[in-house]
Amino acid sequence: MDKSSALEYINQMFPTEASLSGVEPLMQKIHSEIRRVDAGILAAVRQQSNSGTKAKEDLAAATRAVEELMYKIREIKTKAEQSETMVQEICRDIKKLDFAKKHITTTITALHRLTMLVSAVEQLQVMASKRQYKEASAQLEAVNQLCSHFEAYRDIPKITELREKFKNIKQILKSHVFSDFSSLGTGKESEETNLLQQLSDACLVVDALEPSVREELVNNFCSRELTSYEQIFEGAELAKLDKTERRYAWIKRRMRTNEEIWKIFPTPWHVPYRLCIQFCKKTRKQLEDIHNNQKEKPDVGTLLLALQRTLEFEDELAEKFGGGTRGREIGNEIEEIGRGENTSQSASDIRKKYEKKLGAHQQSSTEERDKDLSVPGAGFNFRGIISSCFEPHLNVYTELEEKTLMENLEKLVQEETWDIEEGSQNNVLSSSMQLFLIIKRSLKRCSALTKNQTLFNLFKVFQRILKAYATKLFARLPKGGTGIVAAATGMDGQIKTSDRDERVICYIVNSAEYCHQTSGELAESVSKIIDSQFADGVDMSEVQDEFSAVITKALVTLVHGLETKFDAEMAAMTRVLWGTLESVGDQSEYVNGINMILASSIPILGSLLSPIYFQFFLDKLASSLGPRFYANIFKCKQISETGAQQMLLDTQAVKTILLEIPSLGHQTSRAASYSKFVSREMSKAEALLKVILSPIDSVADTYRALLPEGTPMEFQRILELKGLKKADQQSILEDFNKHGPGITQPSIPPPAAPPIPLPTAPTVALISNPASAGLIASRDDVLTRAAALGRGAATTGFKRFLALTEAAKDRKDGPFRKLFNA
């Protein structure tokens, strides 16, 4: 403790004078503690002194023990070296004896084998001279093994002499075997009963010789067997295509009659297989010469018969030496054409279909693996080895197929009733389905013969046949056309269609759709069948474009037909004395006529056309009837206020009739978009009648607001319809021309047409103030309505061919141009 802490401790122990009486006892206690601590320190010092002395003594003892251990280790090492030296001296003589024994054993073995080799070579020489092939084959194996032991002694004269002698013996055996086999097939085997057994033993000798000997023997045998074949079928009498079948009969008869004789050949030699390969190569060469030497086109029947027999022979060889299933797979692919699988097919059916295909593929892969293991010359394919030489000469076949298909097409079209049998579900002409059945049979015939260039040429024939059929469907459509749509597409004239004509047109649409879909399936099937180098060229897009053009023309023809039916009603509308009407009554007779026309045609069309085509037809009908009704108002004479009100009532009635068409045709899937389209088309006629109803002093402003795209000439005609004289029109026209044809104001969407009853005088007053009534249409909105003529291409599934239809007017050629040249 420092000084201040000691003072604090003393003050704490003795805070008062009275507590100083305890100083003496405290001092005694402190002295006693000091004595105890001193005694402990002294004891510790003494103990430490004694411990240091003992540690030094222990360290000295450990050092002495280590020195003694090192001395003993050196003694043990010295004794071990002495023992090793002693052992080496003892074993030196034993090692020499061991090497001597090893050398003696090797020498004895070599001499023994040399003796065996000499004896074996001498025995083999005797066997070779006596043609003892069975014994010689075993002896050959023994000599070959013995010779392998003397590879290291090749330079020793005796060994060299034996090897040369053995080589000469093998040559003698080879010459004897080849000589004996030359008698095979000459009839000696029937005279000499032991000849076949001798040749069978000779095969054992050949197996014991080098592999090249067996190869040479088999080639010589095959060449000798086919010598008579070449002599027979190179003659002028049999060197013809119609004798091709006899070639295959010859080899099959040869293999059948010699089957027992050829069993002398070991199975691993595959002599029949090798013989068939050489036969196929020779046959191909001879058939190529026959084709090239022909001066005239071959008879198609003879050519196809020869090819068919060749393919059958190749299939027999492929089945005998390694089968395949491609023919069945091709048949399955062709059967899929024209089945019309649709989206209603269940998921389980689709799964089963592809599981079946996968199983067939796996089975084919397994067969291919088995073929690689079991068939000699793995990888060799008999299919096509002969038949491929027919390929360059099959043009006559494709020409015949094209002629036959074209004749069948003409017959189908001539016999076509252009009607559908009762109970039919697809509403497709029978000629369409029959045509694809004929094409499918033709494809089966060709795919059974070839899958290369000829099949590709036949596919081109299919394209021409289908295009010809599309042309005939096109030609069956009624000609001509009238109305605004006809003028826009360049088809002028009139067209009259009866109820039967409308049904026929619907059948043509459905048939063209069927052909469009089935031609795509046909191309897909051909691409799977045909050789891969031609698969990229298999395309039916041009044919599908042709049928798309037929569909478009047929649907537009339906619109033209209805337009022609509307001619009488449009003429009746212009004959009504609108300027002298005294009151507004029920809808006019011409509106009833329009309703009757649509009521008689639309249900039939709706039941026969698919929703997509029906929607396209409705859009074209609305885009035609709306502008035509608008233009027909200008053909009328003077229109009074009452007449305008009656005409506005008729306009709304026509609009209602058009809006009910989807329900009338029992196809309401796209009714909402169609209703919006009809309202936009008919709003222009309603706007025109509202302009005619407006007062004289505000007619120009109303016209600019409701019809901003109008022209001065059209405005002048409106004034004439209102009954104004030329003098009264002049000031209004000058004011109209001064302010321009249109008013540019913020876009305000036009309201819905006013409901029946017709507007009264206050309503007409509101019309004169278009800004307050919210009736001013912007130029953008008007342009949107004007562009609605092309709406069909954006709202149906025919984006491709409808867009082409709209653009085809400016083209000079192409599959759609014929629409505008009719």
Side-chain angles (χ1 to χ4, degrees):
M1 292 194 300
D2 55 13
K3 185 177 181 181
S4 59
S5 298
L7 290 176
E8 290 176 1
Y9 177 73
I10 293 172
N11 291 330
Q12 182 180 0
M13 295 296 295
F14 307 103
T16 61
E17 291 182 3
S19 62
L20 293 176
S21 60
V23 172
E24 189 65 26
L26 179 60
M27 290 297 293
Q28 292 177 0
K29 182 179 179 180
I30 291 172
H31 286 300
S32 176
E33 183 67 21
I34 290 172
R35 286 192 297 271
R36 187 182 65 80
V37 171
D38 288 341
I41 291 172
L42 182 60
V45 170
R46 289 175 179 172
Q47 184 178 359
Q48 182 63 30
S49 177
N50 295 333
S51 297
T53 304
K54 187 176 181 180
K56 290 180 180 179
E57 292 176 355
D58 292 341
L59 179 60
T63 303
R64 289 193 299 271
V66 170
E67 290 176 352
E68 291 177 359
L69 179 61
M70 290 298 294
Y71 176 75
K72 291 180 180 180
I73 290 174
R74 283 194 295 270
E75 284 186 345
I76 293 172
K77 184 177 180 181
T78 301
K79 291 180 179 180
E81 290 175 354
Q82 293 174 356
S83 299
E84 182 180 2
T85 303
M86 187 182 298
V87 170
Q88 287 178 353
E89 291 177 356
I90 294 172
C91 294
R92 184 178 294 113
D93 296 335
I94 297 175
K95 193 172 185 180
K96 289 179 181 181
L97 293 174
D98 183 62
F99 281 132
K101 179 183 176 182
K102 188 175 182 180
H103 291 159
I104 291 173
T105 303
T106 303
T107 302
I108 292 172
T109 303
L111 289 174
H112 180 66
R113 287 174 177 172
L114 180 59
T115 303
M116 292 174 62
L117 178 60
V118 172
S119 175
V121 169
E122 291 177 354
Q123 292 176 14
L124 182 62
Q125 187 174 13
V126 174
M127 294 174 185
S129 62
K130 294 182 179 181
R131 283 184 163 84
Q132 296 175 349
Y133 295 129
K134 187 173 183 180
E135 295 80 2
S137 63
Q139 197 71 6
L140 271 172
E141 293 290 342
V143 174
N144 283 326
Q145 292 181 6
L146 289 171
C147 285
S148 64
H149 294 294
F150 291 95
E151 285 295 326
Y153 309 104
R154 297 175 64 93
D155 297 334
I156 297 175
K158 183 61 177 180
I159 300 300
T160 304
E161 180 184 350
L162 286 173
R163 293 177 66 89
E164 286 296 325
K165 188 175 182 179
F166 179 51
K167 183 177 180 182
N168 293 333
I169 294 173
K170 288 196 295 184
Q171 191 63 35
I172 293 172
L173 281 172
K174 176 182 175 183
S175 63
H176 287 344
V177 169
F178 276 58
S179 175
D180 291 344
F181 266 101
S182 64
S183 62
L184 184 63
T186 60
K188 290 184 178 181
E189 60 270 10
S190 59
E191 299 175 0
E192 301 178 13
T193 56
N194 62 340
L195 178 60
L196 293 181
Q197 182 61 44
Q198 183 179 359
L199 293 178
S200 178
D201 295 340
C203 292
L204 300 178
V205 173
V206 173
D207 275 335
L209 295 173
E210 291 80 5
S212 60
V213 176
R214 185 183 70 180
E215 188 76 14
E216 183 180 353
L217 177 63
V218 173
N219 289 336
N220 288 344
F221 170 77
C222 294
S223 299
R224 190 169 57 255
E225 284 291 321
L226 296 176
T227 300
S228 60
Y229 168 74
E230 292 179 332
Q231 294 172 352
I232 294 172
F233 290 95
E234 280 183 353
E237 181 181 353
L238 296 179
K240 298 177 182 178
L241 281 180
D242 56 355
K243 307 298 183 183
T244 303
E245 186 176 3
R246 297 183 61 177
R247 296 173 177 270
Y248 309 132
W250 182 91
I251 187 64
K252 286 189 284 187
R253 184 171 59 253
R254 190 75 173 175
M255 294 177 67
R256 186 170 56 253
T257 56
N258 293 329
E259 183 177 4
E260 292 297 326
I261 298 176
W262 291 352
K263 286 183 178 180
I264 63 174
F265 296 106
T267 303
W269 287 22
H270 306 293
V271 172
Y273 172 80
R274 300 281 297 276
L275 179 64
C276 289
I277 291 178
Q278 288 201 23
F279 171 82
C280 291
K281 292 180 179 179
K282 291 181 182 295
T283 302
R284 175 187 173 89
K285 184 178 183 303
Q286 290 186 358
L287 290 178
E288 286 178 345
D289 294 339
I290 293 174
H291 283 303
N292 296 331
N293 294 332
Q294 285 182 335
K295 298 180 180 179
E296 299 179 356
K297 286 186 176 180
D299 178 67
V300 179
T302 302
L303 180 66
L304 294 183
L305 180 61
L307 177 56
Q308 182 64 34
R309 295 295 179 261
T310 301
L311 291 170
E312 291 174 358
F313 177 68
E314 290 176 349
D315 287 340
E316 290 179 12
L317 294 182
E319 290 294 331
K320 184 177 181 64
F321 300 110
T325 59
R326 192 183 177 200
R328 295 192 295 273
E329 293 174 357
I330 291 172
N332 294 335
E333 292 292 347
I334 296 175
E335 288 300 325
E336 295 294 328
I337 301 173
R339 289 192 173 180
E341 295 182 4
N342 49 39
T343 54
S344 63
Q345 189 178 22
S346 65
S348 61
D349 293 338
I350 296 174
R351 184 175 64 253
K352 290 179 181 178
K353 171 186 174 183
Y354 284 98
E355 285 177 352
K356 182 177 179 182
K357 287 188 176 182
L358 179 60
H361 175 71
Q362 291 175 345
Q363 180 181 359
S364 176
S365 300
T366 303
E367 291 178 355
E368 288 296 325
R369 289 195 299 269
D370 294 343
K371 175 182 175 182
D372 291 343
L373 295 175
S374 62
V375 176
F380 186 84
N381 186 11
F382 279 104
R383 289 190 172 92
I385 186 174
I386 304 175
S387 58
S388 58
C389 71
F390 287 83
E391 191 72 35
H393 308 280
L394 288 176
N395 291 333
V396 291
Y397 165 68
T398 55
E399 292 171 1
L400 178 63
E401 284 285 355
E402 183 170 11
K403 179 181 178 182
T404 304
L405 287 171
M406 193 61 71
E407 291 175 354
N408 287 328
L409 174 61
E410 294 293 340
K411 183 179 179 181
L412 288 174
V413 174
Q414 290 176 4
E415 296 176 354
E416 179 60 71
T417 61
W418 304 100
D419 201 356
I420 301 298
E421 297 180 0
E422 294 184 3
S424 177
Q425 298 180 352
N426 53 10
N427 295 322
V428 175
L429 295 171
S430 62
S431 59
S432 301
M433 294 183 286
Q434 291 296 325
L435 178 61
F436 275 99
L437 287 176
I438 295 172
I439 288 176
K440 186 163 67 173
R441 286 196 291 267
S442 176
L443 178 58
K444 278 187 176 181
R445 288 193 298 270
C446 185
S447 61
L449 299 175
T450 175
K451 301 163 188 68
N452 296 304
Q453 183 66 48
T454 303
L455 181 58
F456 185 73
N457 294 340
L458 185 64
F459 176 76
K460 294 294 184 183
V461 171
F462 294 158
Q463 288 181 322
R464 293 192 289 271
I465 295 299
L466 291 174
K467 287 181 180 179
Y469 183 65
T471 303
K472 293 188 179 298
L473 292 179
F474 198 95
R476 181 61 180 80
L477 295 171
K479 300 296 187 294
T482 184
I484 293 178
V485 172
T489 55
M491 292 182 288
D492 299 326
Q494 283 191 340
I495 180 173
K496 294 183 180 180
T497 56
S498 61
D499 292 343
R500 171 173 167 75
D501 290 335
E502 291 178 351
R503 295 178 70 89
V504 170
I505 292 173
C506 292
Y507 296 149
I508 290 176
V509 169
N510 295 334
S511 300
E513 180 187 16
Y514 170 80
C515 294
H516 183 282
Q517 176 184 353
T518 311
S519 60
E521 296 175 359
L522 174 63
E524 182 180 354
S525 296
V526 172
S527 64
K528 294 178 180 178
I529 297 171
I530 202 168
D531 192 82
S532 57
Q533 61 179 329
F534 300 101
D536 293 339
V538 177
D539 183 22
M540 277 287 186
S541 58
E542 293 184 3
V543 174
Q544 291 177 319
D545 288 344
E546 293 283 344
F547 287 111
S548 298
V550 172
I551 294 172
T552 306
K553 172 65 184 303
L555 293 174
V556 174
T557 301
L558 279 178
V559 177
H560 294 166
L562 286 178
E563 283 182 341
T564 303
K565 291 183 179 180
F566 293 150
D567 286 348
E569 312 306 328
M570 294 293 108
M573 175 182 173
T574 59
R575 288 195 297 269
V576 176
L577 301 178
W578 300 105
T580 59
L581 284 181
E582 296 180 355
S583 62
V584 178
D586 200 357
Q587 62 189 31
S588 303
E589 285 298 323
Y590 73 90
V591 177
N592 294 332
I594 292 174
N595 189 25
M596 290 179 61
I597 292 171
L598 294 175
S600 63
S601 297
I602 295 302
I604 298 175
L605 301 182
S607 64
L608 296 179
L609 293 177
S610 64
I612 294 178
Y613 297 121
F614 188 69
Q615 178 68 27
F616 174 72
F617 163 75
L618 293 185
D619 290 344
K620 288 298 180 184
L621 180 63
S623 64
S624 169
L625 188 56
R628 185 179 184 188
F629 191 87
Y630 176 85
N632 210 53
I633 296 175
F634 288 102
K635 296 180 181 180
C636 298
K637 296 181 180 180
Q638 181 178 347
I639 302 175
S640 64
E641 180 178 338
T642 304
Q645 292 176 355
Q646 179 64 45
M647 193 175 292
L648 186 58
L649 172 67
D650 295 342
T651 302
Q652 294 179 4
V654 172
K655 178 180 177 180
T656 303
I657 292 171
L658 292 177
L659 291 175
E660 292 177 351
I661 287 180
S663 300
L664 196 61
H666 304 289
Q667 295 194 21
T668 59
S669 58
R670 296 179 175 86
S673 60
Y674 169 75
S675 300
K676 185 178 180 181
F677 183 47
V678 170
S679 300
R680 192 162 62 240
E681 289 294 325
M682 297 300 294
S683 63
K684 190 173 182 180
E686 295 175 346
L688 174 60
L689 293 172
K690 291 174 184 178
V691 172
I692 295 175
L693 281 170
S694 63
I696 296 298
D697 55 353
S698 62
V699 64
D701 293 338
T702 304
Y703 180 72
R704 280 193 293 267
L706 297 181
L707 298 171
E709 73 281 7
T711 62
M713 186 179 298
E714 188 179 86
F715 180 67
Q716 183 179 0
R717 178 57 184 154
I718 291 175
L719 296 180
E720 293 175 355
L721 291 175
K722 290 178 69 66
L724 293 179
K725 297 180 180 179
K726 293 289 184 181
D728 297 334
Q729 295 177 16
Q730 193 62 32
S731 60
I732 298 176
L733 287 173
E734 290 178 356
D735 180 67
F736 177 79
N737 293 330
K738 181 178 179 181
H739 290 85
I743 299 176
T744 56
Q745 294 191 16
S747 175
I748 302 176
I756 300 174
L758 289 171
T760 57
T763 306
V764 175
L766 286 175
I767 294 175
S768 65
N769 189 0
S772 62
L775 298 176
I776 300 175
S778 69
R779 187 174 301 275
D780 292 339
D781 186 63
V782 175
L783 291 175
T784 301
R785 296 203 310 270
L789 282 171
R791 177 179 175 273
T795 58
T796 68
F798 307 108
K799 293 183 179 180
R800 183 178 183 185
F801 68 85
L802 296 186
L804 290 172
T805 302
E806 296 296 332
K809 300 189 296 296
D810 299 328
R811 296 183 58 182
K812 296 182 180 180
D813 54 5
F816 291 94
R817 184 59 198 172
K818 63 178 69 174
L819 287 172
F820 309 103
N821 294 333

